[in-house]
Amino acid sequence: MRPLGVFGGTFDPVHNGHLRTAFELAECLDLERVLFVPAADPPHRPPPRVPAARRVEFVRAAIEAEPRFALDERELARGGRSYTVLTLEELRAERGAQPLVLCLGMDAFLGLAGWHRWTELPRLAHLAVAHRPGFSPPADGPLGELVAARLARSPDALAQSPAGRVFFFAGTQVELSATELRRVLE
């Protein structure tokens, strides 16, 4: 079974950096599909400025040309805080032993230890982290321990088990952020 990618975020707004990263991870990891999962109420940042229905429209329009991309609205339908661990629990129950790959940017990965029930994430999915060239994985602290215990040096390792590995991926760097886009649009 090919892995399923899970790419969450506020997508406030969705932009080419999101799309490029998802596309390159889909190629590198031979993902069956990448689910774009818009957050309803992210616990680590202010609420999205754009209403959920509008963000869904934008994501749908942005991904429609890529057949490996799909929209998953479960966090919006669930309501309340958007906890990745709950989404992965639901997907694991639905997908059985299919490998799940949580796609993260480096900034999200470096903040992982502050996420709700973060230590359970590797039980539910692999972590694929897009980073900048010249990056070195954390060597100490909780994230250093996670990397030391679970590092995958090859993308093939993620297809061999349902969850549990950490893979670092140096993709094309797009100098673009949703924060900067919001600033320019205001």
Side-chain angles (χ1 to χ4, degrees):
M1 247 185 299
R2 290 169 54 208
L4 176 71
V6 181
F7 192 21
T10 58
F11 302 115
D12 185 24
V14 64
H15 57 72
N16 283 338
H18 297 131
L19 301 173
R20 186 75 205 166
T21 298
F23 181 82
E24 289 184 5
L25 281 167
E27 288 286 311
C28 176
L29 302 176
D30 190 29
L31 300 176
E32 170 193 306
R33 177 158 285 168
V34 177
L35 300 180
F36 281 70
V37 186
D41 184 10
H44 297 105
R45 60 187 322 156
R49 294 181 185 179
V50 175
R54 195 77 170 132
R55 289 185 291 125
V56 164
E57 289 176 28
F58 291 150
V59 171
R60 186 175 283 119
I63 67 174
E64 71 183 352
E66 175 50 58
R68 289 175 295 185
F69 293 173
L71 177 64
D72 186 313
E73 298 180 55
R74 75 181 64 230
E75 289 188 6
L76 299 171
R78 183 186 316 128
R81 291 284 191 184
S82 295
Y83 293 119
T84 301
V85 69
L86 300 178
T87 299
L88 292 176
E89 285 175 338
E90 290 173 5
L91 286 167
R92 176 58 56 217
E94 293 167 13
R95 297 294 182 139
Q98 180 178 17
L100 299 178
V101 180
L102 179 61
C103 303
L104 301 166
M106 181 53 60
D107 54 341
F109 178 74
L110 293 176
L112 198 65
W115 288 24
H116 180 66
R117 296 172 42 201
W118 79 275
T119 58
E120 297 176 42
L121 297 177
R123 174 181 61 80
L124 300 165
H126 300 294
L127 307 178
V129 183
H131 66 83
R132 297 190 182 280
F135 162 79
S136 295
D140 54 9
L143 293 178
E145 292 171 14
L146 175 69
V147 170
R150 299 178 178 271
L151 182 64
R153 300 203 181 275
S154 162
D156 298 335
L158 279 59
Q160 296 172 8
S161 65
R165 305 300 298 271
V166 179
F167 179 72
F168 292 97
F169 171 78
T172 302
Q173 298 304 303
V174 178
E175 294 300 323
L176 189 58
S177 77
T179 302
E180 183 61 20
L181 283 173
R182 285 190 304 272
R183 189 190 66 71
V184 169
L185 293 172
E186 291 179 339

